[in-house]
């Protein structure tokens, strides 16, 4: 009983965060090490195109064109991976996870949140990791996978 109550509270708290995050998250250079790419024209061009595609995905998501947003983010993801930009990759994977969650495709959401977690595991930002784990827990809960939900929370 107690565990289910705690899970319900966490689900409600995280659901509110998950619903607002894609609308507020704008791609900014603060997540980038721009000096790394500025010396290489091809990487800079890829960075600018990835940034454009990421922001296009945000706009599409805000206009409830979620499938189109996923497509845009998938293209951005390819560019981030090509230039080995782990922060862009993490942000984009998370956005795709939110999009699949909005489409109620919780298995896909779990897959993308797991990928997001894998990209940030080496970093030191515990708030980001906690947020990702909360989103994983929410989706496992929706899939009635209670042991995984509890482990994620």
């Amino acid at each position: 009983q107690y565990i289910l109550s705690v899970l319900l509270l966490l689900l409600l708290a995280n659901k509110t965060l998950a619903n607002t995050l894609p609308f507020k998250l704008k791609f900014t250079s603060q997540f980038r090490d721009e000096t790394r790419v500025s010396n290489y024209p091809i990487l800079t061009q890829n960075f600018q195109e990835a940034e454009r595609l990421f922001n296009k995905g945000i706009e599409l998501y805000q206009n409830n064109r979620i499938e189109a947003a996923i497509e845009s983010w998938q293209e951005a993801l390819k560019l981030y991976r090509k230039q080995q930009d782990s922060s862009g990759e993490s942000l984009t994977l998370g956005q795709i996870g939110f999009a699949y969650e909005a489409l109620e495709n919780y298995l896909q959401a779990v897959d993308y949140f797991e990928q997001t977690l894998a990209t940030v595991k080496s970093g030191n930002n515990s708030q980001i990791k906690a947020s990702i784990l909360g989103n994983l827990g929410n989706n496992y809960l929706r899939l009635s996978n209670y042991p995984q939900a509890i482990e994620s929370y």
Side-chain angles (χ1 to χ4, degrees), residues 39-95:
N39 297 328
Y40 303 96
I42 292 173
L43 290 180
T44 301
Q45 185 179 16
N46 284 342
F47 171 81
Q48 291 169 347
E49 179 63 7
E51 180 179 6
R52 185 190 70 75
L53 289 164
F54 184 91
N55 285 326
K56 178 182 174 186
I58 295 288
E59 289 177 30
L60 291 165
Y61 188 99
Q62 288 173 334
N63 290 311
N64 208 30
R65 297 185 54 211
I66 298 171
E67 291 90 355
I70 291 171
E71 289 176 22
S72 186
W73 287 326
Q74 290 286 3
E75 291 301 312
L77 184 60
K78 289 177 191 174
L79 292 173
Y80 291 133
R81 285 179 170 162
K82 184 177 181 178
Q83 60 195 27
Q84 299 177 355
D85 184 339
S86 61
S87 59
E89 182 180 359
S90 297
L91 286 169
T92 306
L93 287 166
Q95 290 302 106

Side-chain angles (χ1 to χ4, degrees), residues 14 20 25-26 31 34 53 56 88 95 125 129 138 140:
N14 251 336
T20 59
L25 184 64
K26 268 298 204 182
F31 296 108
E34 289 187 71
L53 289 164
K56 178 182 174 186
Q95 290 302 106
N125 195 329
K129 291 176 193 174
N138 291 344
Y140 281 126

Side-chain angles (χ1 to χ4, degrees), residues 98-114:
F98 283 124
Y100 279 117
E101 183 177 3
L103 293 172
E104 298 180 1
N105 187 337
Y106 304 121
L107 282 174
Q108 282 288 91
V110 163
D111 179 48
Y112 279 92
F113 287 131
E114 290 281 2

